[in-house]
Amino acid sequence: MNNPFERLTKARRGDVSTREKQWQIVRRYVVVTGILAMAMAGPPAVRGESGAIQKFNDGVVFAINGQYLKLEVCADNVIRVAASPDPLFFSRKSLSAGERRDAKTKWSLESESGAPVLKTDALAARVDLHSGAVSFFDSDGRLIVAEKADGRTMTPAIVQGENTYHVRQEWMENAGEGLFGLGQQQLGLMNLKGYDLDLWQHNGTVAIPFFLSSRGYGIFWDNTSYTRFGDLREAEPIPAAQLLDSHGRPGGLTGSYFAGENFEQLAGNRMDPVIDIAIPSGATNANQLIYPGLPADGDISIRWEGDVLPSETGDYTLETFSNNGIKLWVDGALVISHWRQGWLPWWNVARVHFEAGHRYHLKLEWTKEQGMETVQLLWKTPSHDPNTSLWSEVGGGIDYYFMYGPSLDRVISSYRQITGPAPMLPAWTFGFWQSRQRYKTQQESLDVLTRYRSLGIPIDNIVQDWFYWKLDQWGSHEFDPARFPDPDGWIRQIHDKYHARLTISV
């Protein structure tokens, strides 16, 4: 039989129909050769009605419901789970996970009640041959976590003109479980269970698709595209029909608009059916675009009050998107209180329990002191799906690593095994860093270092923030010779005379 993998490489890159035909050959080839290999080797350890099972040196591949599922043994406590319509997905080059498998790990494939079970000394992974769902057990047979029976979905999509999939994996809820991680979020949350996160890099937000469970396991989601954790529904404005103003009239909340930031000079009131202000920085008469009675510019403050009448019992998520200062009370309890830079609006979230048909008092206060005017109030009604979920916008398949401790130290060690150890930073980076909005000239930063040394205060690093380029060359990152006449000499002086380092903020 001719090897279709060789023929696949000969298909012209621009000929989609030819490539698709070759992929069909590859898929048939994998299944047929897997069945032939098992026939020549004798009876397989397990066979399922829904397709073939083939055992390799590093794990097992199952053909289930038109997809291929691979369990790859990386260590006795680490198993990679990958699924795709295309079997070559299993050998894709990852941007995060390296070739760090422990080839010495002993494992076996057994049958329990007609289901295949991959076993190591620390773990057992059981596969449902009808749904393809994987369940993980410890060495004593106790369930750790299980995939939802229909929780692996791959939806064909076109993203930036390319055919791909939206991919999603769901795991069944464990009662009382805490979930932690997923990077650095500015939401004030520790236990992420029951909350929803968008994982994407942002100014102040770092996305790391890895979470830990209080049940002693971790999951590393090996996908670098835009990813969402939890409920995929978007937050929406609270329906105006479910809002009552401060006089009990339906249709919105009462908005009170004040000049100044301390709610002292009332400019006027009105009913607001939705709270959604987005005035770009620098807009002419920005305050009057919000409310005609406000002064054209300067500080302002707004208070919205009234009641919400939920139509469904359950846990709701209240979300604000704002800059400057924001506070939200529900029945007198302060549930959101945050201040952000005027140029960096972001989300705050609060989870509250509402009973259908009950009235709950809302009070939202926002002050604008600088930058653009931005404030929103949204909510998500109760979710009826308590399972743990990760979704990514682009993927050729599902790809994640299950890591078991049960100590969390061992889970973290396993994450380092797969992604590689983080190098230790040089000693000077752990010292004191001096930074301000910016130093306008090279001499300014040298004067600061002179002062620190004269006072005997240790300093290891000084940061040159933005706008060191010419006034009319925004973002060029070339030093303005009028203000930074000798960048090389400046940096040498910082190193040699002041024994410090320089960091450039791009």
Side-chain angles (χ1 to χ4, degrees):
M1 179 184 295
N2 292 328
N3 190 328
F5 291 103
E6 295 179 0
R7 284 185 284 153
L8 180 63
T9 61
K10 297 178 182 178
R12 290 189 295 114
R13 290 183 177 271
D15 190 339
V16 176
S17 61
T18 301
R19 286 207 313 274
E20 179 55 32
K21 291 176 182 177
Q22 295 292 349
W23 273 119
Q24 293 173 2
I25 295 171
V26 169
R27 295 179 192 123
R28 290 196 296 269
Y29 174 80
V30 170
V31 174
V32 171
T33 53
I35 295 173
L36 288 175
M38 289 187 293
M40 290 185 290
V46 185
R47 276 291 299 277
E49 293 181 358
S50 55
I53 303 172
Q54 188 173 3
K55 187 175 179 181
F56 296 89
N57 290 334
D58 61 353
V60 187
V61 174
F62 305 84
I64 302 174
N65 298 331
Q67 288 190 357
Y68 298 95
L69 168 68
K70 183 174 184 179
L71 300 185
E72 182 178 330
V73 180
C74 304
D76 64 347
N77 68 320
V78 181
I79 293 178
R80 177 194 180 201
V81 179
S84 176
D86 295 322
L88 289 186
F89 176 78
F90 303 143
S91 59
R92 76 183 183 99
K93 184 172 178 57
S94 169
L95 295 177
S96 304
E99 295 299 325
R100 299 182 177 89
R101 280 62 164 173
D102 183 358
K104 299 178 182 179
T105 301
K106 295 180 180 179
W107 61 276
S108 62
L109 183 64
E110 302 175 10
S111 176
E112 293 181 0
S113 302
V117 181
L118 186 153
K119 288 188 175 182
T120 70
D121 290 341
L123 275 180
R126 179 189 177 106
V127 177
D128 184 322
L129 290 176
H130 299 288
S131 66
V134 183
S135 302
F136 296 95
F137 301 83
D138 66 16
S139 57
D140 294 322
R142 291 186 292 261
L143 179 66
I144 305 168
V145 70
E147 293 180 350
K148 184 181 175 183
D150 58 350
R152 184 183 301 126
T153 53
M154 299 183 59
T155 306
I158 298 176
V159 178
Q160 294 185 353
E162 295 187 6
N163 292 317
T164 185
Y165 294 98
H166 297 327
V167 296
R168 188 185 191 194
Q169 181 66 62
E170 295 178 78
W171 297 268
M172 297 295 292
E173 178 193 27
N174 287 317
E177 180 179 32
L179 301 175
F180 310 90
L182 296 177
Q184 301 170 14
Q185 310 291 332
Q186 293 194 27
L187 298 176
L189 301 177
M190 181 65 76
N191 184 357
L192 304 176
K193 186 176 181 181
Y195 290 92
D196 312 317
L197 297 176
D198 286 355
L199 303 184
W200 58 299
Q201 300 297 115
H202 191 265
N203 190 344
T205 300
V206 176
I208 301 176
F210 171 69
F211 67 83
L212 286 165
S213 165
S214 58
R215 291 172 67 91
Y217 71 88
I219 287 178
F220 169 51
W221 181 253
D222 192 7
N223 188 302
T224 53
S225 74
Y226 167 56
T227 295
R228 302 181 70 185
F229 170 80
D231 188 352
L232 299 183
R233 296 177 302 159
E234 298 286 350
E236 300 175 335
I238 302 173
Q242 293 179 246
L243 293 174
L244 307 172
D245 71 5
S246 57
H247 301 288
R249 296 172 299 196
L253 299 177
T254 297
S256 301
Y257 294 80
F258 298 83
E261 60 178 290
N262 296 314
F263 303 94
E264 294 173 348
Q265 303 174 40
L266 180 64
N269 300 308
R270 71 182 179 199
M271 178 189 286
D272 289 328
V274 63
I275 298 172
D276 186 2
I277 295 173
I279 308 296
S281 181
T284 304
N285 299 328
N287 290 343
Q288 293 179 350
L289 294 175
I290 296 174
Y291 187 81
L294 290 171
D297 54 21
D299 298 342
I300 62 171
S301 47
I302 309 173
R303 178 184 294 124
W304 289 275
E305 281 195 271
D307 293 339
V308 60
L309 191 64
S311 58
E312 183 179 0
T313 297
D315 291 336
Y316 288 69
T317 301
L318 298 177
E319 300 185 6
T320 59
F321 183 77
S322 65
N323 57 358
N324 291 287
I326 190 85
K327 291 184 178 181
L328 175 64
W329 291 263
V330 177
D331 274 354
L334 184 63
V335 296
I336 289 175
S337 179
H338 209 125
W339 183 89
R340 299 186 186 278
Q341 293 93 338
W343 48 270
L344 191 62
W346 200 243
W347 300 99
N348 289 292
V349 298
R351 191 166 56 194
V352 296
H353 184 81
F354 288 153
E355 296 286 333
H358 288 237
R359 288 172 59 164
Y360 297 88
H361 188 70
L362 299 180
K363 182 170 75 169
L364 178 69
E365 291 185 347
W366 175 74
T367 60
K368 179 257 178 179
E369 306 148 29
Q370 55 175 291
M372 63 190 79
E373 283 90 344
T374 302
V375 60
Q376 283 182 303
L377 176 63
L378 307 170
W379 77 353
K380 278 190 182 182
T381 55
S383 171
H384 301 288
D385 185 0
N387 299 318
T388 303
S389 164
L390 282 167
W391 172 95
S392 289
E393 184 179 31
V394 173
I398 304 286
D399 200 344
Y400 73 88
Y401 292 81
F402 177 84
M403 307 168 180
Y404 185 55
S407 73
L408 297 187
D409 278 348
R410 192 179 187 207
V411 177
I412 295 296
S413 175
S414 300
Y415 174 78
R416 285 166 52 85
Q417 172 194 335
I418 298 301
T419 61
M424 183 64 83
L425 294 171
W428 66 266
T429 64
F430 295 93
F432 173 69
W433 290 42
Q434 166 65 34
S435 179
R436 59 163 295 161
Q437 202 262 3
R438 69 187 175 104
Y439 297 110
K440 298 181 178 65
T441 67
Q442 67 179 50
Q443 189 59 46
E444 224 182 329
S445 61
L446 296 176
D447 292 343
V448 170
L449 287 169
T450 299
R451 183 64 171 161
Y452 269 102
R453 293 304 185 212
S454 68
L455 293 173
I457 300 174
I459 179 172
D460 288 277
N461 187 63
I462 192 164
V463 178
Q464 176 60 49
D465 208 341
W466 65 301
F467 214 173
Y468 44 82
W469 46 81
K470 288 183 178 180
L471 191 64
D472 60 348
Q473 294 180 7
W474 181 269
S476 71
H477 305 301
E478 294 183 11
F479 288 100
D480 179 357
R483 295 181 293 119
F484 296 85
D486 182 15
D488 287 343
W490 170 51
I491 295 170
R492 279 198 306 271
Q493 202 171 357
I494 291 173
H495 288 182
D496 300 339
K497 180 178 179 179
Y498 297 99
H499 306 290
R501 305 283 182 140
L502 173 73
T503 294
I504 298 287
S505 173
V506 297

